[in-house]
Amino acid sequence: MSSNTRAAYGTTSTFWKRTPTFVPSTIEIVYSGESTSETTAQTPTEPKPAAPVTRSESPKPTPQDEGLEPLTSTSTSSFDEATPGEHKDIAPTDALELKFHTLLTSANVDIEELQKQSWKGIPSSQRSTAWCLLMGYFPLNASRRSQTISRKRREYKDWVRQTFSRGEDALDRSLWHQIRIDVPRTTPGSPLFQSPRIQRSLERVLYCWAVRHPASGYVQGINDLLTPFYFVFLATHSHEIDSLDDSVMDTVEADSFWCLTKLLDGIQDNYTHAQPGIQRQLIKMKDLVSRIDAPLAAHLDSEGVEFIQFAFRWINCLLMREVSLASTIRMWDTYLAEPDGFSSFHIYVCAAFLLKWSKQIQQLDFQKILLLLQKPPTESWTAKDVELLLSEAYMYKCLYHNSPNHYSAAGQKR
């Protein structure tokens, strides 16, 4: 990190005085169903090496191996007992969960307050409904919610029936073949996504989305973006996958389709021909890193390392292949609370992610740099590491977003 940047947020900086109220002085850790609080320093610090995470293996397809609440949660209520049109969220057990529960069950959800609270992380018990509201899928007005969601779920179910009623022979063979190849590769370390029932569901969602968005169609990487929705929506139910009622799976599938649609509506340029959205973001990221850490940028250039060689996948898959599913879900809490979180803010997250290994990278040659960046050492990352990454990204956004010499200068050179 350059001396200029360090000076910009040193102990005498007024940066923290300028941050909005939803960036707290204490970071509330919401991870694996637990909530703790840790005071953060006034200046960014390097994270201490985290102890390796020991995961217990389970022969059944559940999300437990990903570090979040398993499907077999303590909730004993069935899906049918949920409010019509909404997900069954688990009853609040602490102050933070109660705060979200009160907010989410109000007659008219205050979206700004929900964004403010969600930036710090959403309790897993309240996440499914919060995400649907933040995505713009669930109406904020409770009186309209049930009818609207029921209509959207029926609409998706009708599409599936029409699309697959004549069998696989009537499908676009090339498209269907690519999806059938990619789905088994989706989150291969998770038994949940190796379940045949889940894989068939993923295939239907991806195919229906692709044929309704011909400008982009299906692109490898979209399959990854679908998995957090399945995990979050399934985590509210207390049954194993194979024993879930068909109506529950239909609801999860439909809601995942609509949330994926909302997500991709904001970043569709990433997946159209030649993927211009990703190309623009790569240029922005390179310019941003050059301004924050000039020595790192110079070393990458001297070794012939192009940002497209490692950061293309970071943008295309939203870093999902670089961090765990648990970390991804926590990051998405913040992305959903940020304006253009999955596009603009994600670039600052990618820059912060790269800068974490700046010193190490500057000691490596071309081949070793790419090996590091294509498989960064995040296996032992904890919630604290994710929180620090998001905080650093937000700091860079405050310092460099709309800066007179930022982005515009890069645009003039082009």
Side-chain angles (χ1 to χ4, degrees):
M1 187 175 297
S2 68
S3 58
N4 290 338
T5 302
R6 279 195 292 267
Y9 60 81
T11 55
T12 60
S13 172
T14 59
F15 164 74
W16 293 109
K17 296 179 182 178
R18 295 187 287 110
T19 55
T21 56
F22 59 80
V23 180
S25 58
T26 58
I27 295 176
E28 296 180 68
I29 307 300
V30 182
Y31 206 66
S32 304
E34 298 177 359
S35 177
T36 59
S37 178
E38 173 166 316
T39 302
T40 59
Q42 293 300 304
T43 55
T45 57
E46 293 293 329
K48 295 181 179 179
V53 177
T54 303
R55 296 190 177 102
S56 59
E57 297 183 358
S58 171
K60 298 180 180 180
T62 73
Q64 190 168 9
D65 66 312
E66 295 295 344
L68 296 178
E69 287 190 358
L71 296 183
T72 51
S73 65
T74 56
S75 172
T76 57
S77 300
S78 68
F79 174 82
D80 295 333
E81 294 172 338
T83 303
E86 298 184 43
H87 289 281
K88 171 64 181 72
D89 284 335
I90 301 170
T93 58
D94 63 20
L96 182 60
E97 290 184 354
L98 181 59
K99 180 185 296 184
F100 268 89
H101 180 75
T102 302
L103 183 60
L104 296 175
T105 55
S106 60
N108 286 283
V109 176
D110 185 339
I111 190 63
E112 292 185 359
E113 181 64 20
L114 180 58
Q115 290 170 336
K116 171 183 173 181
Q117 297 299 328
S118 298
W119 207 102
K120 300 174 288 185
I122 304 170
S124 56
S125 63
Q126 310 296 315
R127 184 175 278 123
S128 60
T129 298
W131 274 23
C132 288
L133 289 163
L134 290 166
M135 292 295 305
Y137 170 44
F138 281 12
L140 300 178
N141 188 298
S143 64
R144 297 177 46 241
R145 195 170 302 154
S146 178
Q147 182 179 2
T148 301
I149 298 170
S150 295
R151 175 175 54 81
K152 299 296 281 186
R153 288 171 178 168
R154 286 195 305 270
E155 185 178 344
Y156 172 75
K157 192 171 184 179
D158 289 342
W159 285 349
V160 171
R161 186 183 300 110
Q162 295 168 11
T163 302
F164 294 94
S165 60
R166 293 181 294 170
E168 293 185 9
D169 290 340
L171 304 178
D172 182 316
R173 291 189 178 184
S174 177
L175 171 61
W176 184 243
H177 176 70
Q178 187 61 57
I179 291 173
R180 293 295 299 270
I181 289 176
D182 289 347
V183 164
R185 301 171 180 171
T186 304
T187 320
S190 170
L192 173 66
F193 294 104
Q194 298 310 304
S195 162
R197 191 179 190 189
I198 294 296
Q199 290 186 354
R200 300 295 81 77
S201 180
L202 293 172
E203 289 167 359
R204 289 190 294 270
V205 170
L206 293 171
Y207 188 87
C208 285
W209 185 87
V211 297
R212 281 161 180 77
H213 295 81
S216 59
Y218 173 74
V219 177
Q220 287 180 313
I222 294 179
N223 54 312
D224 292 297
L225 306 185
L226 186 55
T227 57
F229 297 118
Y230 270 76
F231 191 101
V232 168
F233 297 157
L234 285 168
T236 63
H237 305 295
S238 57
H239 303 285
E240 299 295 344
I241 293 300
D242 293 337
S243 63
L244 278 176
D245 188 81
D246 287 343
S247 64
V248 176
M249 281 301 302
D250 288 346
T251 295
V252 169
E253 183 175 321
D255 291 349
S256 297
F257 169 83
W258 288 115
C259 284
L260 177 70
T261 300
K262 290 286 187 180
L263 168 62
L264 293 177
D265 281 349
I267 56 174
Q268 193 162 347
D269 275 359
N270 288 3
Y271 306 103
T272 53
H273 178 67
Q275 299 179 279
I278 294 180
Q279 300 298 333
R280 288 194 301 270
Q281 289 176 306
L282 285 169
I283 293 171
K284 292 178 180 179
M285 181 181 171
K286 182 177 181 179
D287 179 60
L288 179 61
V289 171
S290 297
R291 299 202 63 204
I292 298 173
D293 193 337
L296 172 61
H299 182 71
L300 291 174
D301 185 61
S302 67
E303 290 295 329
V305 177
E306 298 290 341
F307 276 65
I308 196 172
Q309 294 171 313
F310 62 89
F312 183 92
R313 191 176 74 177
W314 294 8
I315 300 170
N316 186 61
C317 300
L318 298 177
L319 285 173
M320 287 192 62
R321 298 186 184 181
E322 284 66 43
V323 299
S324 69
L325 181 57
S327 296
T328 296
I329 290 172
R330 171 59 193 91
M331 289 166 63
W332 283 24
D333 288 347
T334 297
Y335 282 16
L336 288 167
E338 277 282 325
D340 301 318
F342 292 94
S343 53
S344 178
F345 185 69
H346 180 63
I347 295 304
Y348 291 98
V349 173
C350 287
F353 192 70
L354 174 62
L355 293 170
K356 281 189 174 294
W357 292 283
S358 176
K359 293 181 180 179
Q360 184 177 350
I361 289 171
Q362 292 182 56
Q363 304 302 316
L364 302 177
D365 59 18
F366 174 86
Q367 184 176 5
K368 291 181 179 179
I369 290 173
L370 289 186
L371 287 174
L372 172 66
L373 296 180
Q374 290 175 356
K375 189 175 175 56
T378 61
E379 296 87 354
S380 61
W381 268 30
T382 67
K384 295 178 182 179
D385 297 302
V386 176
E387 298 284 353
L388 182 59
L389 176 69
L390 293 169
S391 297
E392 290 173 339
Y394 185 80
M395 177 186 63
Y396 295 139
K397 175 186 173 182
C398 288
L399 290 173
Y400 294 100
H401 187 61
N402 292 329
S403 173
N405 295 323
H406 185 39
Y407 290 178
S408 59
Q412 291 172 359
K413 293 178 182 179
R414 297 194 301 277

